[in-house]
Every structure is written in structure tokens, then in C-alpha cells.
């Protein structure tokens, strides 16, 4: 092969890069060839949460019928009532940090896109929010402390055991003035404030309780600043599962932003304006999830500027634009990685948490922009709401089956989906069909089995394939096969939008 001069190689290299970017962008915004039943997917994404419930299950309306009562004495070790809430994933621990984020995102989905949900599904979504917020209200109901976790994760992870059978220590962890946790308290405040908007019309008394709880949680977070995982005892309980890697500052802004949205009070607007710089509002990130809230803060707060109400918040719109530009392959900004099949990918585990949360922000920001006829300027390209909507749609379609594996990553949706998810209750015989106790180590043969899970956790979205788009459906590979509440929570809003906007339309990128 003839050697090329360096300038020619660089020109050809640039051409190849541009072609790859253009082709990827076309793939990301082109309408799906296969139609999806977004209504069915939405219903199942909400149903998933009933399989994650902890505590006494309702006598009527519990549709995940293979589940039974569990952890009904939670909090007893500390002399308090901490029954209820959700197990975060495929284990039996109640981690307050991701649970509160789950509640925030479920509520935000109802707030933004609830009108697109069929009435029955909106009611189920509100029930899913309430199951979390009833528990979160308990965690902040005792003076001087906030309870942030129930269950010893090391001991719990040593067993493959149904939640109905578990006999591992239900250790209770709390934060206080001496052991601050602004991250968990701030996220709890955000969850309760966002949820108050869900119930404002149908149950104003409950909404008022939630908003009052949000205020208490935020005051606690702001008065006792610190990250919970900096405390040795709390770190031993929460890490390595849910350490606060990104600091507590973003949760303070996040909590204030939601209290501002829910209450419209100037106090919280002042807090956002006066503390933005010191709390890292300018941090550049293309991540949004249970630990890092900055992209979500910028999208949420920018609404007031976009609507023309608070011009002093312009910087948040600029930060939100910067986040959006990292998702556009044609933009001159360094951008997020996509797999060859078009899925958003970040190294680590449970990748679908990034797919669903970022897709939610794309649709929410597109909604705000549409209301004002604004666009996003990404240097060499200008991006409108339709492009953001198409990017999010392609991610949802990937989850539902438009991917190289030709399988849905939502259990129970489509003809082909994960059969061996990393989830104790799903993989063990139901207490309804096998009432005899299955002790800690007695569950191991079920874990090692190659048989499909006997109790399909309908609606669960797994961690998903790797950067090569390959998924092996291996129960032991928890990074890929474990579902989590914070994967599903943003997806509820995404699917609600798609139910209300079934026509793919076209996205446009203007140079």
C-alpha cells in the first residue's frame, strides 16, 4: 500500500471522523423502523415497582402477586417504624440515597408528562411515588436525625434469599449533626418537594405534608453540611454500593431547586442564585444519576429563565446547553460515547441508568425549549427540540428491542427479553407457590441455575449490554443483568412522553 503524506492522512482522517459522526447522528435521530407499543411498555415500567416493595403489601391492588409481606419490623433495632419503601435492586437492602432519587424521578416524570399517561397508569405512577414518599416521611419524622438505610449490605449480599425469608441483620443507619449527610437529606427534600406537585390536586393535605417534610429535610441538609459516606460507620454501611463520589453540594442545589419549583418561594430562588458558584453549579458533566445531579439541576432551573420569568438564571440555561451539546455527535464539544448500535454508554455498571436518565433530560429540556421557540447552539451546529426528542426516542427504542441483539431489555416486553435477571425474589420460587422457608445458603442452587427465573419481574429494565452491544443473559453478571429502581424511574417519564407523541417525526441539526 502506498504511503500517504501526513497532511493528506490528516485530511482523510478528518473526513472519516466527520462521516462517522454524521452517520451516527443519522442513526440516532432516524425514526425507528419497528413500531413499539409505548403504552404497554409504560404500564410495565410502572408495574415493576410493585415487585420492589418492602413492608406489608396492600390487600387489594398488589399486582405483582408472587410477592409477599417482608421486613415488616424494619426500624425496630432503633425503636422506630421504618417499614415500607423499596429495595433498590436485586437485593434486600433499603438504601435511602438511591431510593430518594428514584422518588424524585418518578415524581418529575408525572409532573412533566403525567398528562400523556392514560388515567389508570397515572394513578399507578402516583401510587409508586407514594410508596416511596410514605417511607421517606418516616425517615425524617424524628428530631435531630434522618434515617438513611435499613439492612447490613455485606451480610445481605452473602445470602441469596427471598425478601419474605430474610434473616440477616436489619441494621439501621442515620445521619445527625455529628454525622452529617447533606447528600441524602438534600435528595430526600427534592423527592418530597417534587412529589408534592404530583398530589397537589388530588390530595392537597398529603401534598402539604410532603412540602413541609421537604423543608425540614432541606434545612437539615443545609445546617449540617457534609457527605454521609465521609463518616466511617456510615461508609461501612453504604459503600461500596452507594458512596457519595461527587460530593454533597449538588444535592443542596437540587433540593433548593425542587423546593423553588414546588413552592415558588423567593427564599429558594435566592439560595440558588447566591450559592450556585460555591456549590458547583458550573461543574461540566455529561452525567446524571443518583450521585451526580448537576445536569438535572441545570435543566430544572433553566425553565424559569426559558419561560422569561427569572432572567438572572441565564447561566443555568447556558450550563444546560453545554450538557446537551455533549450528547450531539456533530457538536464540536467532547461528547458522550455511543455503542456501535447507538446506545449511550458510560463505563461502569448498570449502564441503562445513564440511558434512561439522560433520555429523560433530553425530553424535558426539549419541552422547555419548545414552549419558547429556543434552540441549543453547539458551536458549529444548532439543535432544536425535535432532535433532542429523536435522540431520546432512539434510546427508548433501543431498550425495547431496536438493538443488535434484537431483544428487549425490559422483562415482559416483546417476544425476547432477559430470562435470568440478577434478582433474588424473581429467581427463587415464590412464597405463594413454595411457602417453606428458603434459608440464606439454600438459595445458592437457584442462583447458579441456568433456568429462567420462575417469577418474571415484569417491567424491570436490566443494566444492559456492554460497549459492544452484547448481552449474555447471565444471572451472575450483575452489572448487566441486575435491574434497579433508578433505571426504571426516569424511563416512566420517557415512555409517558412517547405515549403522548407516538409519531416519530424528524429531528433536524442546523449547521
Amino acid at each position: 500500500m502506498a504511503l500517504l503524506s501526513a497532511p493528506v492522512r490528516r485530511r482523510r482522517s478528518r473526513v472519516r471522523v466527520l462521516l462517522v459522526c454524521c452517520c451516527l447522528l443519522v442513526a440516532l435521530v432516524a425514526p425507528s423502523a419497528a413500531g413499539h407499543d409505548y403504552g404497554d411498555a409504560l404500564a410495565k415500567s410502572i408495574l415493576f415497582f410493585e415487585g420492589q416493595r418492602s413492608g406489608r403489601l396492600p390487600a387489594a391492588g398488589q399486582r405483582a402477586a408472587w410477592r409477599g409481606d417482608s421486613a415488616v419490623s424494619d426500624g425496630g433495632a432503633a425503636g422506630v417504624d421504618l417499614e415500607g419503601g423499596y429495595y433498590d435492586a436485586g437485593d434486600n437492602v433499603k438504601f435511602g440515597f438511591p431510593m430518594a432519587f428514584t422518588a424524585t424521578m418518578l415524581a418529575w416524570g408525572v409532573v412533566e408528562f403525567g398528562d400523556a399517561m392514560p388515567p389508570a397508569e397515572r394513578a399507578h405512577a402516583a401510587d409508586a411515588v407514594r410508596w416511596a414518599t410514605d417511607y421517606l416521611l418516616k425517615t425524617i419524622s424524628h428530631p435531630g436525625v434522618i434515617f438513611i438505610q435499613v439492612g447490613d449490605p455485606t451480610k445481605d449480599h452473602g445470602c441469596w434469599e427471598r425478601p419474605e425469608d430474610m434473616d440477616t441483620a436489619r441494621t439501621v443507619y442515620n445521619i445527625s449533626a455529628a454525622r452529617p449527610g447533606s447528600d441524602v437529606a438534600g435528595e430526600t427534600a427534592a423527592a418530597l418537594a417534587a412529589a408534592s406537585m404530583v398530589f397537589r390536586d388530588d390530595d392537597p393535605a398529603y401534598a402539604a405534608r410532603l412540602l413541609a417534610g421537604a423543608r425540614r429535610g432541606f434545612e437539615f441538609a443545609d445546617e449540617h453540611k457534609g457527605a454521609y459516606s465521609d463518616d466511617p460507620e456510615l461508609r461501612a454501611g453504604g459503600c461500596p454500593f452507594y458512596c457519595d463520589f461527587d460530593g454533597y453540594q449538588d444535592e443542596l442545589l437540587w433540593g433548593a431547586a425542587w423546593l423553588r419549583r414546588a413552592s415558588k418561594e423567593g427564599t429558594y430562588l435566592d439560595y440558588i442564585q447566591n450559592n450556585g458558584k460555591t456549590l458547583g453549579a458550573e461543574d461540566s458533566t455529561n452525567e446524571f444519576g443518583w450521585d451526580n445531579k448537576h445536569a438535572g439541576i441545570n435543566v430544572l432551573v433553566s425553565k424559569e429563565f426559558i419561560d422569561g420569568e427569572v432572567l438572572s438564571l441565564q447561566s443555568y440555561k447556558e450550563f444546560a446547553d453545554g450538557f446537551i451539546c455533549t450528547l450531539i455527535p456533530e457538536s464540536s464539544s467532547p461528547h458522550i460515547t455511543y455503542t456501535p448500535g447507538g446506545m449511550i454508554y458510560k463505563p461502569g455498571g448498570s449502564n441503562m441508568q445513564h440511558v434512561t436518565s439522560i433520555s429523560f433530560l433530553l425530553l424535558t429540556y426539549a419541552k422547555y425549549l419548545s414552549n419558547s421557540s429556543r434552540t441549543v447552539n453547539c458551536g458549529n451546529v444548532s439543535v432544536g427540540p425535535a432532535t433532542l426528542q429523536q435522540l431520546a426516542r432512539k434510546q427508548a427504542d433501543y431498550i425495547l428491542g431496536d438493538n443488535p441483539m434484537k431483544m428487549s431489555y425490559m422483562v415482559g416486553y416483546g417476544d425476547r427479553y432477559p430470562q435470568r435477571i440478577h434478582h433474588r425474589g424473581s429467581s427463587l420460587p415464590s412464597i405463594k407457590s413454595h411457602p417453606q422457608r428458603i434459608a440464606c445458603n439454600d438459595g445458592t442452587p437457584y442462583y447458579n441455575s441456568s433456568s429462567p427465573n420462575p417469577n418474571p419481574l415484569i417491567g424491570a429494565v436490566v443494566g444492559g449490554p456492554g460497549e459492544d452491544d452484547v448481552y449474555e443473559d447471565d444471572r451472575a453478571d450483575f452489572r448487566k443483568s441486575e435491574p434497579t429502581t433508578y433505571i426504571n424511574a426516569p424511563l416512566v417519564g420517557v415512555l409517558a412522553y412517547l405515549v403522548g407523541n407516538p409519531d416519530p417525526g424528524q429531528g433536524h441539526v442546523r449547521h
Side-chain angles (χ1 to χ4, degrees):
M1 181 182 295
L3 295 176
L4 301 175
S5 68
V8 173
R9 285 201 303 273
R10 284 197 294 270
R11 282 197 299 273
R12 290 195 176 183
S13 176
R14 284 196 294 270
V15 169
R16 282 197 297 272
V17 169
L18 286 171
L19 285 173
V20 168
C21 287
C22 290
C23 290
L24 179 55
L25 189 62
V26 168
L28 291 172
V29 302
S32 166
H36 286 290
D37 187 342
Y38 296 123
D40 181 50
L42 171 64
K44 287 171 176 170
S45 70
I46 300 169
L47 175 59
F48 157 77
F49 289 94
E50 295 189 16
Q52 295 299 112
R53 285 173 169 173
S54 180
R56 291 177 180 85
L57 303 182
Q62 171 68 24
R63 296 172 296 162
W66 52 275
R67 282 294 321 282
D69 296 348
S70 62
V72 297
S73 300
D74 273 1
V80 295
D81 171 18
L82 294 175
E83 181 192 347
Y86 290 115
Y87 304 117
D88 71 300
D91 54 16
N92 300 322
V93 182
K94 295 191 310 203
F95 293 99
F97 198 18
M99 193 195 306
F101 177 72
T102 292
T104 305
M105 295 309 299
L106 275 172
W108 198 2
V110 175
V111 168
E112 297 293 354
F113 305 114
D115 289 346
M117 297 179 182
E121 295 312 324
R122 193 198 181 283
H124 288 314
D127 286 345
V129 173
R130 190 187 286 258
W131 196 269
T133 53
D134 280 352
Y135 172 80
L136 293 175
L137 285 172
K138 292 181 179 182
T139 68
I140 63 165
S141 64
H142 299 272
V145 297
I146 294 178
F147 295 97
I148 66 168
Q149 183 176 321
V150 183
D152 183 319
T154 303
K155 294 177 180 176
D156 178 89
H157 286 82
C159 293
W160 196 256
E161 196 170 33
R162 298 180 303 199
E164 295 85 355
D165 288 332
M166 63 176 166
D167 51 8
T168 54
R170 301 301 288 171
T171 309
V172 176
Y173 301 84
N174 67 68
I175 55 175
S176 63
R179 297 188 302 184
S182 302
D183 30 30
V184 189
E187 184 62 66
T188 300
L192 297 175
S196 75
M197 300 177 69
V198 172
F199 298 100
R200 185 173 290 163
D201 295 333
D202 297 334
D203 192 344
Y206 187 61
R209 279 185 63 205
L210 293 171
L211 192 56
R215 295 183 201 280
R216 288 202 309 276
F218 181 75
E219 288 170 7
F220 190 100
D222 192 42
E223 288 175 10
H224 310 300
K225 291 184 177 69
Y228 82 95
S229 52
D230 287 345
D231 178 83
E233 183 181 343
L234 298 179
R235 185 177 184 85
C239 296
F241 311 101
Y242 295 105
C243 289
D244 183 347
F245 297 101
D246 290 304
Y248 63 85
Q249 292 86 351
D250 51 334
E251 278 80 28
L252 287 173
L253 279 179
W254 182 236
W258 272 111
L259 276 159
R260 166 64 180 174
R261 176 80 177 264
S263 71
K264 301 295 185 186
E265 292 177 9
T267 303
Y268 299 108
L269 175 61
D270 292 343
Y271 189 94
I272 295 165
Q273 292 173 322
N274 297 337
N275 296 282
K277 280 188 179 294
T278 57
L279 295 178
E282 298 179 3
D283 288 1
S284 176
T285 178
N286 57 11
E287 184 174 341
F288 176 57
W290 59 264
D291 188 24
N292 192 320
K293 312 298 170 9
H294 285 297
I297 293 164
N298 293 332
V299 168
L300 179 65
V301 174
S302 69
K303 182 181 187 299
E304 289 199 78
F305 171 77
I306 292 172
D307 291 347
E309 296 172 2
V310 184
L311 298 183
S312 60
L313 297 177
Q314 180 175 354
S315 62
Y316 287 89
K317 163 74 164 61
E318 294 169 356
F319 302 146
D321 284 357
F323 161 70
I324 294 298
C325 291
T326 69
L327 308 176
I328 306 297
E330 273 199 349
S331 114
S332 54
S333 306
H335 54 76
I336 204 166
T337 299
Y338 291 88
T339 65
M343 176 184 68
I344 288 171
Y345 182 79
K346 295 182 76 67
S350 298
N351 183 67
M352 284 301 182
Q353 68 180 303
H354 306 298
V355 176
T356 61
S357 60
I358 289 174
S359 296
F360 181 89
L361 291 186
L362 282 166
L363 291 176
T364 301
Y365 203 52
K367 176 183 174 181
Y368 298 166
L369 294 173
S370 297
N371 292 340
S372 65
S373 302
R374 291 178 182 266
T375 59
V376 178
N377 183 1
C378 295
N380 55 326
V381 295
S382 182
V383 183
T387 295
L388 308 189
Q389 291 158 349
Q390 281 304 314
L391 281 169
R393 182 185 299 272
K394 287 301 295 182
Q395 296 305 305
D397 287 348
Y398 185 105
I399 291 172
L400 297 179
D402 293 0
N403 55 63
M405 296 294 291
K406 304 301 181 189
M407 72 182 296
S408 160
Y409 291 110
M410 177 185 286
V411 174
Y413 179 87
D415 297 326
R416 185 166 179 251
Y417 50 81
Q419 301 289 322
R420 288 167 283 277
I421 69 172
H422 184 95
H423 189 279
R424 287 158 176 76
S426 173
S427 67
L428 292 160
S430 168
I431 194 168
K432 303 297 177 65
S433 61
H434 187 286
Q436 298 81 12
R437 183 170 174 273
I438 301 174
C440 173
N441 295 325
D442 292 345
T444 304
Y446 296 98
Y447 173 79
N448 292 329
S449 169
S450 60
S451 298
N453 288 9
N455 312 305
L457 181 56
I458 300 299
V461 177
V462 295
E467 58 187 329
D468 55 0
D469 294 298
V470 173
Y471 183 79
E472 295 85 0
D473 199 12
D474 177 5
R475 188 178 296 117
D477 188 356
F478 65 90
R479 289 179 176 83
K480 291 184 175 182
S481 63
E482 187 170 21
T484 73
T485 56
Y486 46 89
I487 292 176
N488 267 64
L491 185 60
V492 170
V494 171
L495 292 170
Y497 165 83
L498 293 173
V499 166
N501 299 271
D503 180 14
Q506 292 288 341
H508 300 283
V509 178
R510 295 199 300 274
H511 291 268

